[in-house]
Amino acid sequence: MNRPLRVAVIGAGPAGIYAADHLIKAVENVTVDIFDKLPTPYGLIRYGVAPDHPRIKEIIKALHRVMDNPRIRFIGNVAYGVDVKPEEMSRFYDATIIATGAEKDRELDIPGIDKLGSYGAADFASWYNGHPDVSRDWPLTAQKVAVIGAGNVAVDVARILAKTADELLETEIPDNVYQHLKNSPVTDVHVFSRRGPAQVKFTPQELRELDHSPNVDVIVHPEGIEFDEGSLEAMRQTRHVKMCVDILQNWAVRDPREDRPRRLHLHFLQAPVEVLGDNGKVEGLRTETQELTGDGWVRGTGEFTDWDVQAVYRAVGYLSTALPDLPFDTRTGTIPHEAGRILDLDGEHIPGMYVTGWIKRGPVGLIGHTKGDAGETITSLLADVDKLPTAPSREHDDVTNYLRGRGLPITTWEGWQKLDAHEITLGEPHGRQRIKVVARDEMTDICNG
């Protein structure tokens, strides 16, 4: 490749940053601009990972090193398809990589799921992480709560609901979240998994963290601890499955710790079938007991249980959002592609358009999978480089001058570093990692001040 290459990445979460990293390592004469609709980088690492996960947030340090590269530029407060259209991007970039991830809740189609007191886990995570586009209030009024799901997000939600607020003070939890959690009357959090203990999707680390609180008794209900041949094979094949099962079995036989004021219950082989309640409010959850079918899957037994809960949180998966003027598969929640090349309705590659991350493969897998995704997409882009259209406006400041000229309050990497330092300074007098700024206007002002 002889001419310099200019590439835009839409989405400043891990998927977008890893794509930029792959690209600059592969090509010397390339510059990458990473856009995000938020004033800040890092996506779900900042706004989706629970604040009491400092080890997971160590990922930010690795992402920070990538973003420090002078050939990578961050441009925040720009919503693709709204503030800037795809045809406008083609004026400034030879190729565009979509890496917008998945931040919405997947629906759960059961009767009553839309009652007052029924919430999505992604919305709740955005709230307790101080996302600037959500309300500062959350109705924590339930004494008994149900969480539906068997993945890391379900475990995060259950742990945040069950912990006392003071236990979270050492984290970067926003002040408004602390005050709401401090006043929460919750005593019992019930987590319901449709399948058995060998089919759970959370990691051993996530599972163990449930039991770290001195104020929460984790109770595994033994009637759901069952295994079939498919379960045994999963335990033989995958070490972390066996580790999770061992932890759960140990918890299932231990004595209750009655000195702990809150309880977190884990129920297996219980599928939600209806959210109960009169007057439009959640007053209970009905589940159907499942039985294993020999291959690790389950079927209903016709035996139902009604659980006394006043709130229901569904943690059944994330869902990506369609972008203007781009194809979108509503069934899978992904952009159609071939090895990262975005395909139009006729199955043809749209020149210069690529995709990576959860909006490419669906919201599954860990950070390692995201790196693999980025590698595949960049390989395809580089194979196409001689066929890419050439952007007519190629000066470094052309795009930022254009956006500012339209009155957009864009933020930069240097601006984010100001905000980062400000939040850390806010936390220092209180012995905290940081205190997050949660208002978009205030974040933008600090970045641009």
Side-chain angles (χ1 to χ4, degrees), residues 246-265:
D246 288 345
I247 294 167
L248 293 167
Q249 286 182 311
N250 289 334
W251 290 353
V253 297
R254 70 184 179 186
D255 294 331
R257 292 169 292 182
E258 297 179 353
D259 59 321
R260 302 193 175 194
R262 295 180 175 181
R263 292 163 293 279
L264 198 161
H265 308 260

Side-chain angles (χ1 to χ4, degrees), residues 107-425:
E107 295 298 323
L108 179 62
D109 187 17
I110 60 174
I113 195 64
D114 57 349
K115 291 183 184 296
L116 187 64
S118 175
Y119 311 106
D123 289 339
F124 184 54
S126 292
W127 174 76
Y128 65 62
N129 277 301
H131 194 292
D133 295 338
V134 303
S135 170
R136 303 278 70 84
D137 296 321
W138 192 273
L140 292 171
T141 58
Q143 185 176 5
K144 298 177 181 178
V145 179
V147 178
I148 300 169
N152 285 342
V153 176
V155 170
D156 277 356
V157 167
R159 192 180 63 254
I160 294 296
L161 286 167
K163 273 186 171 182
T164 59
D166 285 348
E167 294 176 69
L168 297 169
L169 264 182
E170 64 181 6
T171 74
E172 59 185 45
I173 188 171
D175 285 337
N176 65 293
V177 175
Y178 169 76
Q179 293 299 331
H180 278 69
L181 290 172
K182 189 173 181 64
N183 295 324
S184 171
V186 69
T187 59
D188 292 83
V189 178
H190 296 265
V191 181
F192 295 95
S193 173
R194 181 171 60 91
R195 295 203 284 168
Q199 287 79 44
V200 295
K201 299 300 183 183
F202 37 72
T203 62
Q205 175 181 319
E206 290 268 356
L207 184 57
R208 289 192 190 98
E209 285 176 353
L210 284 181
D211 206 38
H212 288 174
S213 170
N215 299 299
V216 180
D217 187 17
V218 180
I219 301 169
V220 175
H221 291 252
E223 58 271 18
I225 305 296
E226 297 183 10
F227 307 94
D228 60 1
E229 182 53 40
S231 302
L232 297 175
E233 181 62 22
M235 293 161 62
R236 288 191 290 265
Q237 293 292 327
T238 308
R239 182 170 174 264
H240 84 259
V241 172
K242 180 63 165 61
M243 292 170 67
C244 283
V245 168
D246 288 345
I247 294 167
L248 293 167
Q249 286 182 311
N250 289 334
W251 290 353
V253 297
R254 70 184 179 186
D255 294 331
R257 292 169 292 182
E258 297 179 353
D259 59 321
R260 302 193 175 194
R262 295 180 175 181
R263 292 163 293 279
L264 198 161
H265 308 260
L266 299 177
H267 305 272
F268 297 96
L269 297 175
Q270 293 291 330
V273 295
E274 184 177 0
V275 178
L276 308 173
D278 296 326
N279 302 316
K281 295 182 179 180
V282 173
E283 295 178 350
L285 177 70
R286 179 169 295 160
T287 64
E288 182 182 11
T289 301
Q290 307 292 294
E291 62 183 5
L292 294 161
T293 57
D295 54 2
W297 292 92
V298 295
R299 59 176 170 241
T301 64
E303 178 184 340
F304 298 91
T305 304
D306 290 352
W307 304 89
D308 176 23
V309 297
Q310 300 87 48
V312 172
Y313 290 77
R314 68 183 187 280
V316 295
Y318 281 92
L319 189 66
S320 297
T321 303
L323 295 173
D325 302 322
L326 284 179
F328 190 73
D329 186 333
T330 56
R331 181 182 59 86
T332 61
T334 59
I335 291 177
H337 71 94
E338 182 179 30
R341 299 178 176 94
I342 295 178
L343 304 177
D344 62 19
L345 297 179
D346 296 321
E348 298 295 326
H349 176 211
I350 302 175
M353 296 299 296
Y354 301 85
V355 64
T356 191
W358 278 1
I359 198 167
K360 173 187 176 184
R361 73 174 190 274
V364 293
L366 303 174
I367 292 293
H369 298 92
T370 301
K371 290 182 178 180
D373 262 353
E376 179 187 59
T377 295
I378 298 306
T379 297
S380 294
L381 189 157
L382 294 179
D384 300 339
V385 72
D386 292 333
K387 298 178 288 185
L388 292 176
T390 301
S393 187
R394 308 192 64 79
E395 294 301 318
H396 184 69
D397 293 332
D398 284 351
V399 66
T400 51
N401 289 338
Y402 172 71
L403 295 171
R404 288 192 175 105
R406 292 181 50 205
L408 294 176
I410 65 172
T411 57
T412 65
W413 179 242
E414 293 75 21
W416 154 248
Q417 290 177 309
K418 292 180 185 178
L419 177 60
D420 185 36
H422 179 77
E423 291 182 341
I424 292 171
T425 300

Side-chain angles (χ1 to χ4, degrees), residues 22 34 94 180 406 408 448:
H22 275 282
I34 304 179
D94 307 317
H180 278 69
R406 292 181 50 205
L408 294 176
N448 292 331

Side-chain angles (χ1 to χ4, degrees), residues 66-86:
V66 176
M67 296 294 288
D68 267 340
N69 190 296
R71 289 192 286 147
I72 295 176
R73 181 167 55 170
F74 171 69
I75 303 175
N77 264 340
V78 178
Y80 181 80
V82 178
D83 295 324
V84 60
K85 301 293 194 289

